[in-house]
Amino acid sequence: MPFDALRSSSSSAVSVGASPEAPGSNAPIGIFDSGLGGLSVLRAVRAALPDERLIYAADSLYAPYGERDDDFIADRTLAICEWLLSQGAKALVVACNTATSQSIAQTRESLAVPVIGVEPGIKPAAITSQTRVVGVLATAVTLRSARFQALAERHTGDCRFILQPGYGLVQAMERCDTDSPELVALLRSYVQPMLDANADTLVLGCTHYPFLDEAIRSIAGDRLTLVDTSVAIARQLERQLDSFGLRAVPAQDQDQTQAQAIELPRFYSTNDGQTLRQLAASLLGLDMVVEHVVISSRRLGLESDPV
Ligand code: DGL
């Protein structure tokens, strides 16, 4: 496994194929984020696994998660994952560092499919940094989580990590703002102190942040190596599908009827989906209809207004 930042489902929590109604290899993979950031993971998954059908769910009505309490995040994560299973998903990617850091263990315990989570790329950053000073940009919830603290402790060694909560960044991206002067100024206030401290590496510890790469480059030029784990997550998903015999049949090996069934990703959002549609089109070149979905959860019931 290239990055310890990735965690697969433990075999004890998985009983794929054991029940007659378990989804088969042609079932879709469910990808979930609090909002639009998981598109960076979806992009990597599409590139690595072009034969897989994908369903993307954005909980944008309740984004950002990064300043919510732990119970709220766990409640929404489980509810969205269960909804994806109800859509026939054979495996799930929690494409959100914040949701992973707070609730991946609980989610895996509750669900009988492989669940792949994401964590900031602390290990690759600690391996590659020459100056031994590494900036970490992630949500406040991720940075204060026990899971992240343990990860950082494991890999600190002689490295110094500068932990910076990215207040306001997810909110900006959820408005489809990836390059406004205000956003660049906010980013600069986070990144400049890292440069001043001689950091040469920046961990993008939130799946929204890879879409800010140009804005970061406009501030840091080539001085920072950006660590984004989306490609490694896609590889980990591939390994999990292989180990459970869940890889989709490659398109060239399918008969015509099956091949026609291979489709573009399906997008769902708990808000009106306008920004998801806009970002998927501008960042991924996918101009897709986004369906609105109401997903109830234990704590929020069926209400659909943000709390
Ligand atoms: N993309 C989510 C993450 O990776 C953003 C969390 C949020 O909604 O604040 O953490």
Side-chain angles (χ1 to χ4, degrees), residues 46-179:
R46 285 190 84 217
L49 299 164
D51 297 314
E52 298 292 344
R53 296 165 57 208
L54 305 176
I55 303 180
Y56 185 89
D59 198 14
S60 289
L61 188 63
Y62 298 109
Y65 282 5
E67 288 150 43
R68 299 278 192 178
D69 67 68
D70 300 356
D71 183 59
F72 185 99
I73 297 164
D75 182 50
R76 292 305 295 166
T77 301
L78 187 59
I80 310 267
C81 287
E82 283 175 341
W83 181 83
L84 285 165
L85 290 189
S86 77
Q87 301 303 300
K90 65 183 175 185
L92 299 174
V93 181
V94 177
C96 177
N97 292 266
T98 308
T100 299
S101 70
Q102 284 308 334
S103 52
I104 195 81
Q106 211 176 321
T107 305
R108 282 181 182 141
E109 266 166 33
S110 312
L111 305 176
V113 297
V115 181
I116 287 86
V118 301
E119 282 180 347
I122 291 293
K123 184 178 178 182
I127 290 170
T128 53
S129 171
Q130 297 294 312
T131 62
R132 314 308 292 148
V133 182
V134 170
V136 183
L137 201 52
T139 68
V141 168
T142 298
L143 293 178
R144 72 164 157 73
S145 69
R147 195 178 174 89
F148 175 81
Q149 296 289 333
L151 178 72
E153 220 163 271
R154 271 202 307 283
H155 299 294
T156 300
D158 65 340
C159 227
R160 176 177 160 223
F161 292 113
I162 302 174
L163 308 183
Q164 174 62 57
Y167 297 115
L169 298 179
V170 169
Q171 288 90 330
M173 271 211 62
E174 290 292 315
R175 296 189 300 268
C176 287
D177 176 4
T178 55
D179 59 2

Side-chain angles (χ1 to χ4, degrees), residues 23-41:
S25 58
N26 279 330
I29 294 162
I31 300 179
F32 146 67
D33 182 37
S34 61
L36 314 183
L39 291 177
S40 61
V41 175

